[in-house]
């Protein structure tokens, strides 16, 4: 009985040697999505979902403040988030009684020797969709936020 076990143990091949350069792209997911909800005191639940297929980030749905994502809203958001190429995460916060602030975080971009986080802030509310800082439409921004 011990003789058979010893022969089987000797026939197992050793693992392949580690290569100096591994192809890390094989570890990256082909697709991912993030769905987040928040309950605001006066407005109720706001939900946003975004996904990435290969290197295209797009909006799946946004609901809240008694409205849903329209075709025009979808086009404006997709135009803003298309340059992200990476979907890291989505965050939502209440922004007063009639709005929510949605942040879509992408990857990093080097600017002036500093790594900056790419993100698209979106204001969603009863009166519609807009960007931040007086912008009519959402647009990509760079932030030193490294988390």
């Amino acid at each position: 009985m011990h003789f058979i076990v010893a022969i089987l143990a000797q026939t197992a091949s050793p693992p392949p040697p580690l290569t100096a350069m591994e192809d890390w792209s094989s570890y990256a997911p082909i697709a991912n999505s993030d769905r987040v909800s928040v309950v605001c005191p006066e407005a109720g639940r706001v939900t946003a979902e975004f996904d990435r297929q290969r290197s295209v980030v797009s909006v799946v749905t946004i609901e809240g403040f008694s409205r849903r994502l329209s075709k025009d809203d979808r086009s404006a958001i997709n135009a803003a988030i298309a340059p992200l190429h990476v979907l890291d995460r989505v965050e939502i916060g209440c922004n007063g009684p009639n709005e929510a602030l949605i942040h879509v975080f992408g990857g990093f971009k080097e600017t002036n020797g500093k790594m900056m986080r790419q993100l698209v802030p979106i204001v969603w509310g009863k009166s519609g969709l807009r960007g931040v800082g007086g912008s009519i439409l959402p647009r990509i921004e760079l932030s030193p936020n490294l988390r």
Side-chain angles (χ1 to χ4, degrees):
M1 182 78 130
H2 294 292
F3 180 73
I4 295 172
V5 173
I7 292 174
L8 290 175
Q10 290 177 354
T11 60
S13 61
L18 295 175
T19 59
M21 294 292 290
E22 279 195 56
D23 180 12
W24 286 97
S25 65
S26 64
Y27 293 103
I30 294 172
N32 66 313
S33 66
D34 196 2
R35 181 179 178 92
V36 181
S37 291
V38 66
V39 178
C40 297
E42 294 181 34
R45 181 174 303 277
V46 179
T47 302
E49 182 177 2
F50 294 80
D51 77 353
R52 179 186 61 90
Q53 301 288 327
R54 303 254 177 229
S55 63
V56 178
V57 179
S58 60
V59 60
V60 176
T61 187
I62 300 178
E63 299 173 354
F65 299 101
S66 301
R67 59 185 301 264
R68 291 179 172 231
L69 192 66
S70 71
K71 185 177 178 182
D72 290 340
D73 293 338
R74 181 179 305 278
S75 295
I77 293 170
N78 283 338
I81 63 177
L84 291 179
H85 302 293
V86 172
L87 175 61
D88 180 46
R89 70 184 183 276
V90 176
E91 295 178 355
I92 302 177
C94 303
N95 192 35
N98 298 316
E99 293 180 334
L101 183 59
I102 302 166
H103 284 101
V104 182
F105 290 87
F108 292 94
K109 181 176 185 177
E110 187 174 346
T111 303
N112 298 328
K114 294 182 181 179
M115 294 303 285
M116 304 288 278
R117 169 75 72 184
Q118 295 180 356
L119 68 105
V120 176
I122 301 165
V123 178
W124 178 263
K126 285 185 178 182
S127 61
L129 164 79
R130 65 180 172 85
V132 295
S135 175
I136 296 171
L137 297 174
R139 63 177 187 236
I140 195 166
E141 295 182 0
L142 297 176
S143 168
N145 174 8
L146 298 178
R147 66 172 260 258

